[in-house]
Amino acid sequence: MIPNTDLFHKALRLASWAHHGQITKFGDPYITHPTAAAYEVTAAVMAGEKADLDLAMVTALLHDVVEKSDITLKDIKRDFGKAVAEGVSAMTKNMELPKEEQLRDSLMRILEQPKEIAMAKLADRISSMLPPPPEWEDSKVRTILENAKMIHQMLGESSKYLSKRLQQRIKCYENALEKRK
């Protein structure tokens, strides 16, 4: 499948504006995170995964814009369609829930979506798990690791390629914790 490059560019522009001035937990411009997630999905399709690349890629690019900017789901639906808006909605945490319930709730909503949304979530987690810096507390590394394991357990079947990539990141975090002992 050849991706719709105009659609990708449109989503990239929106994500860039939505995340302007934001940085990742690693100190990078925030746009690097959703762009890397979109690339992970693209790599999965290029590796032979059968999926609607445009849906997965655009959802990956836009997955954080509602949580981290004043862009609404209504805006996304208007500009990118119902499927992308529903995917972004499923990936958006429900802030009314206690923090410890937010991820599981989101994962349950993702499971109700087409597999491309699960692929976008796997890609999101892969791209947010660069090797942990030594100054991070063990508790932070453990929390990220446990959340990644939950994501892998619940969504891993949606993509063999992305499941394997996430397993590699999980192993990296396990090794980092082991080296700290």
Side-chain angles (χ1 to χ4, degrees):
M1 169 186 198
I2 298 172
N4 181 333
T5 53
D6 291 334
L7 183 64
F8 177 84
H9 188 239
K10 181 179 177 181
L12 180 59
R13 289 183 71 217
L14 179 63
S16 294
W17 281 107
H19 298 303
H20 179 74
Q22 298 173 5
I23 59 168
T24 69
K25 59 190 170 200
F26 297 97
D28 301 323
Y30 199 86
I31 192 60
T32 61
H33 164 59
T35 303
Y39 189 82
E40 289 285 349
V41 170
T42 303
V45 172
M46 296 301 294
E49 297 276 344
K50 302 287 186 221
D52 178 340
L53 179 55
D54 289 333
L55 175 59
M57 185 174 54
V58 170
T59 302
L61 275 172
L62 299 178
H63 77 273
D64 276 337
V65 299
V66 172
E67 269 183 37
K68 298 188 177 292
S69 77
D70 59 358
I71 294 168
T72 67
L73 289 169
K74 185 176 178 181
D75 297 330
I76 292 172
K77 184 177 181 181
R78 179 194 65 229
D79 294 340
F80 297 95
K82 182 180 177 184
V84 171
E86 288 177 351
V88 170
S89 177
M91 289 181 71
T92 300
K93 292 182 194 109
N94 179 348
M95 301 308 232
E96 294 178 7
L97 294 174
K99 186 169 177 62
E100 62 275 1
E101 294 176 27
Q102 291 173 1
L103 177 60
R104 183 170 293 282
D105 171 70
S106 175
L107 295 174
M108 295 302 292
R109 289 183 285 121
I110 289 168
L111 286 170
E112 296 172 358
Q113 298 295 313
K115 77 172 192 171
E116 289 82 359
I117 309 311
M119 291 174 70
K121 181 60 182 177
L122 289 169
D124 162 37
R125 184 51 51 144
I126 293 162
S127 69
S128 68
M129 286 183 74
L130 299 175
E135 66 270 11
W136 281 9
E137 297 288 330
D138 287 357
S139 60
K140 181 175 184 168
V141 176
R142 269 193 219 91
T143 298
I144 292 168
L145 177 60
E146 294 309 313
N147 287 342
K149 287 179 178 180
M150 182 189 321
I151 292 165
H152 184 263
Q153 177 188 14
M154 292 180 72
L155 306 180
E157 290 184 20
S158 67
S159 167
K160 287 182 183 180
Y161 178 89
L162 294 171
S163 176
K164 184 177 180 181
R165 293 273 298 139
L166 184 53
Q167 285 175 319
Q168 292 167 347
R169 299 295 173 124
I170 288 169
K171 190 67 174 164
C172 173
Y173 272 60
E174 288 173 339
N175 290 342
L177 282 173
E178 191 62 34
K179 286 179 184 176
R180 293 176 178 207
K181 288 183 178 178

